[in-house]
Amino acid sequence: MQIVRIGLDLAKYVFEVHGVDSRGKAVLRKTLRRDAVSRFFANLPPCLVGVEASNGAHYWAKVLTDLGHEVRLISPQFVTPYVKSNKNDRNDAEAICEAVGRPSMRFVPPKSADQLAVQAIHRIRRRLVADRVRLVNQIRGLLSEHGIVIARDISQLRRRLADVIGRSDDGLSELVRSLMRDLQTEMADLDLRITSYDRRIREIFRNSEPCQRLGKIEGIGPVTATALIAAVGDRSCFKNGRQFAAWLGLVPKQRSSGGRTRLYGISKRGDRYLRTLLIHGARAALGRAGGKQDPRSLWLNKLRQRRHPNIAAVALANKNARIVWAMLAGDTSYEPALTVKAT
């Protein structure tokens, strides 16, 4: 029995294994408990192992790679078309085994332990920011029930909330005022926690030479630079900058048929967090370009005059993504003059 390709369906405790030989014939179907997976693959000759890019995939990719196997991570959306009949763990493992053998299949870049750690910081910070947004909206909603309307700007809410708590002639009951004090304390705690994670991100940014190089691009700061380095593991998974931009969902969605090309808005595929950071950074860069006379600012101003601000921001985010890939793939520094010549 010569196994050349294996599909491994991950789970918390029960794993399914499906292996085929060089002719594609199924020669292995096995169910493994979690503690038996490493021992099983240690006794197999090196082969190609396909794994869905789900929870724990990067950990198992490292474990199996250390055992001598070649591991490829596949997005779940590319595995679904190969599932036969009903969906279950065994059929999923067979579908993964089939998908990983396709020569035109696209794979997910693997991540190192350091990249996963930085990614964890970003995910916790993102959750805290979302909690603060929900808290701010709740405060505004509760106060509006009592006739106190506050603008959506969080700085204005902080000032008005302190004023509401300190006053006693606005018609609020003491119960509502005490509740506002509790919510103010909760928001201050979230501010401190978000600030601590921002401090960690800035420290990582200062100690990372690739992040420092990416930070020189207009529209990319410490948060975006560290998030990009954490997300882009093996840069050889992308043939060019356009593939990287497409992976981030910054290219048009296409629905063409019968020789007629139809292009719509951006595909919004891939990592929404990275795409949001790049687009918001592009908006900031477009705002700072007004009145400047350097070639890149002149190009940005012309772009903003021709197209809608949202389209201009996405176009700049796409361009920044391609610049990031070129810098990381070629291990080069940022040169604004070259970016303007390429337009």
Side-chain angles (χ1 to χ4, degrees), residues 103-153:
S104 60
M105 182 58 63
R106 296 196 294 268
F107 301 102
V108 176
K111 296 181 178 62
S112 65
D114 292 337
Q115 288 175 313
L116 292 175
V118 175
Q119 191 177 64
I121 293 176
H122 279 272
R123 287 179 176 176
I124 296 173
R125 178 186 177 275
R126 178 172 54 176
R127 193 259 304 170
L128 292 174
V129 171
D131 290 344
R132 185 173 63 181
V133 171
R134 284 192 289 266
L135 179 61
V136 167
N137 290 336
Q138 185 180 51
I139 293 173
R140 293 177 61 248
L142 293 174
L143 289 178
S144 65
E145 293 290 340
H146 297 273
I148 301 175
V149 179
I150 302 177
R152 287 183 294 179
D153 187 357

Side-chain angles (χ1 to χ4, degrees), residues 57-306:
H58 294 282
Y59 165 76
W60 286 110
K62 182 180 182 304
V63 171
L64 299 181
T65 300
D66 293 340
L67 294 176
H69 300 283
E70 180 185 357
V71 182
R72 294 180 181 176
L73 305 182
I74 311 175
S75 177
Q77 64 179 340
F78 296 142
V79 176
T80 302
Y82 295 95
V83 177
K84 298 178 182 177
S85 186
N86 299 319
K87 184 186 184 305
N88 54 55
D89 293 345
R90 178 162 292 187
N91 288 342
D92 287 346
E94 182 180 357
I96 295 170
C97 184
E98 181 70 22
V100 76
R102 299 302 91 196
S104 60
M105 182 58 63
R106 296 196 294 268
F107 301 102
V108 176
K111 296 181 178 62
S112 65
D114 292 337
Q115 288 175 313
L116 292 175
V118 175
Q119 191 177 64
I121 293 176
H122 279 272
R123 287 179 176 176
I124 296 173
R125 178 186 177 275
R126 178 172 54 176
R127 193 259 304 170
L128 292 174
V129 171
D131 290 344
R132 185 173 63 181
V133 171
R134 284 192 289 266
L135 179 61
V136 167
N137 290 336
Q138 185 180 51
I139 293 173
R140 293 177 61 248
L142 293 174
L143 289 178
S144 65
E145 293 290 340
H146 297 273
I148 301 175
V149 179
I150 302 177
R152 287 183 294 179
D153 187 357
I154 190 172
S155 60
Q156 292 191 26
L157 181 133
R158 291 193 179 99
R159 291 193 297 267
R160 290 291 304 278
L161 184 60
D163 182 62
V164 167
I165 293 174
R167 294 176 59 182
S168 59
D169 57 348
D170 51 8
L172 282 181
S173 64
E174 285 302 320
L175 176 59
V176 175
R177 209 179 303 277
S178 64
L179 293 176
M180 291 300 110
R181 292 192 188 96
D182 294 341
L183 295 179
Q184 185 186 41
T185 303
E186 184 179 352
M187 187 167 64
D189 179 64
L190 286 174
D191 289 338
L192 289 176
R193 296 181 65 186
I194 293 172
T195 302
S196 67
Y197 281 98
D198 288 339
R199 192 179 302 113
R200 291 184 182 183
I201 290 175
R202 287 195 297 270
E203 182 179 355
I204 295 172
F205 178 79
R206 287 193 299 267
N207 296 330
S208 173
E209 189 271 337
C211 290
Q212 291 281 338
R213 288 191 285 115
L214 296 185
K216 295 181 181 179
I217 304 174
E218 295 86 348
I220 294 182
V223 175
T224 307
T226 53
L228 285 169
I229 294 297
V232 183
D234 186 5
R235 293 180 292 276
S236 63
C237 290
F238 307 104
K239 295 181 180 179
N240 48 47
R242 191 188 184 284
Q243 281 196 359
F244 179 56
W247 180 70
L248 292 172
L250 291 170
V251 297
K253 180 189 296 185
Q254 184 174 175
R255 292 181 180 176
S256 302
S257 179
R260 183 176 179 181
T261 302
R262 295 183 179 91
L263 298 179
Y264 298 86
I266 58 175
S267 64
K268 295 185 179 180
R269 302 178 70 177
D271 196 321
R272 179 184 299 180
Y273 179 64
L274 288 176
R275 185 171 60 253
T276 301
L277 291 177
L278 285 170
I279 291 177
H280 285 330
R283 293 184 194 278
L286 286 170
R288 291 193 302 265
K292 295 183 179 180
Q293 298 300 318
D294 59 283
R296 182 176 173 85
S297 296
L298 292 175
W299 173 74
L300 291 177
N301 290 326
K302 292 179 181 178
L303 176 64
R304 188 167 52 179
Q305 291 174 3
R306 295 195 313 267

